[in-house]
Amino acid sequence: MSINLGRHRTSCRRSPRRSERARLEMAPVSVRSVLISESVDPCCRQILEGHGIRVTEKANLSREELMGEMKNHDGLVVRSATKVTADIINAAGNLKIIGRAGTGVDNVDVDAATKKGIIVMNTPSGNTISAAELTCALLMSLSRHVPQAAMSMRAGNWDRKKFMGAELYGKVLGIIGLGRIGKEVATRMQSFGMKTIGYDPITPPEVSAGWGVEQMSLEQLWPQCDYITVHTPLMPSTAGLLGDATFAKCKRGVKVVNCARGGIIDEAALFRALESGQCGGAGLDVFVEEPPKDRSLVNHPNVISCPHLGASTKEAQARCGQDIALQIVDMVKGKGLVGAVNAQVLVSAFSPESHQWIKLGEAIGAVLQSCTISKQPFSQVQITTRGDCLKHSTGYIASAVMVGLLTSGSSGCPNLVNALALAKESGVKVNQHHDQSEGAVHGLCDVEISVNGSSYKASGSVQAGVPVLLELSGNVFRQPVSLSGNLLFIRASASPQLLPSLTGLLAAAGVEMESFSAPAARAGDLWYCVGLSALLQDLGALKPLVKEAAQLAI
Ligand code: 9EZ
């Protein structure tokens, strides 16, 4: 016999009532106060304030000051100077969003933020034109030695032989990475008469052909290029993409540009290629270490370099400041989630159809959590969705189930951003699966948890927009049970006395029975669900009647 003695969920002061959280889900995040911790375009502040968000601007804070300040805000907006490390993230009390006004989130510890359930956002498109234009400027400078000629003039010389160049017209430009920036570089350099070829593992060749870039394998690309520019993220498959082996496959004298991320071109290999003449020149805006301590590339006569100026234009800064503010406002208003890097689950959660399924997942998780409270920790969770309408929903439903299962437990404050990470951290194995075999028309969600050697299973669905429980541990309810209000689950042996006895016990406790759901089976130990006007103070009163009891408010 196991009884969940009074540790009902509404007594948890750390998290709001489930019903309150359900409302927040419509606007998944509430942000009232934002700290901007460095110089971001003033339009960012204006837009946020225009939507009723309080804004504090404090640049040049020390780490200690920033940690102290973090307690007072639900949002943090940074550019590149603020290093948002785990200690800063963990010092935050209510932080819900970290927004970077710029492309990438290199200065944010995304894993630490994810574990705390904090959304991390960037503005992936605000820098596009500026980065593309700087790339073009470096390509042109490489062809005509403009920076070197300018330095020579400044030194009092008039050297016309030394700076003989070559036209870009008719030359081949290899563009590696055909995202937004690669595309803008291509169309601009085509206007100089360059032939643009490229490679990208994601952009389809028909799409890039539409803007004049012929795609091919890297093996085919290397030997054709007079110029190569890289526009990929930095990741294991792109680190050192241009290195000793690939320079060897290029035309002698190839010129290269990196305005993307330091390290895509191997710096030591580039230096060797410059020295041997295999590389005829390099334009570098980014470095592995910034600023680079090793100045051998920067000082090389065939290198022209900039101190990471790709996004350093008035327009890019204004666009990024505006984008991050608008993205935060859209998120708060529940209009959409753009630019988030760690909240794939939430992105799908923004479609209106998904709200009820998220509520269902959370409710099923909460029911199973209540029923197993005295037996936890659970070791394994199997989430199965059925029905074509849920074909692409398993991920966010699984996260919602884990939110329900983990809330009020020991593992932080679970939400859709961190639920799977928290489960992993506490050693819970989560399996998710969409079962297409039955081709069911209606969506169904089954959750089975293993706890202390026994298994509990709950199945639910959404009917007429309401989350309902259909089955609990093999007991199919005669009518779907609406998963809302105060619910009492009891396991008891089937008996005509059960209902009158229960009614009496509840009456004695001053609680009204609002509904009584019995399973279809009529013999043995069965699970019943009882709707209550209020949660019971003491489940112990049910002891004579039931084998297990659990209650929760949804
Ligand atoms: C990877 C890539 C390019 C590349 C480009 C982009 C995500 N991604 N990956 C390997 N946009 C060349 C080699």
Side-chain angles (χ1 to χ4, degrees), residues 495-535:
S495 146
Q497 294 311 310
L498 180 65
L499 184 53
S501 309
L502 185 64
T503 312
L505 280 174
L506 291 177
V511 171
E512 272 180 61
M513 187 188 294
E514 294 181 341
S515 65
F516 183 80
S517 306
R522 291 168 198 277
D525 282 345
L526 304 177
W527 278 100
Y528 299 83
C529 179
V530 188
L532 303 177
S533 61
L535 290 179

Side-chain angles (χ1 to χ4, degrees), residues 429-443:
K429 198 165 175 326
V430 181
N431 290 314
Q432 41 177 298
H433 169 65
H434 182 76
D435 181 357
Q436 276 177 308
S437 61
E438 291 166 45
V441 207
H442 298 296

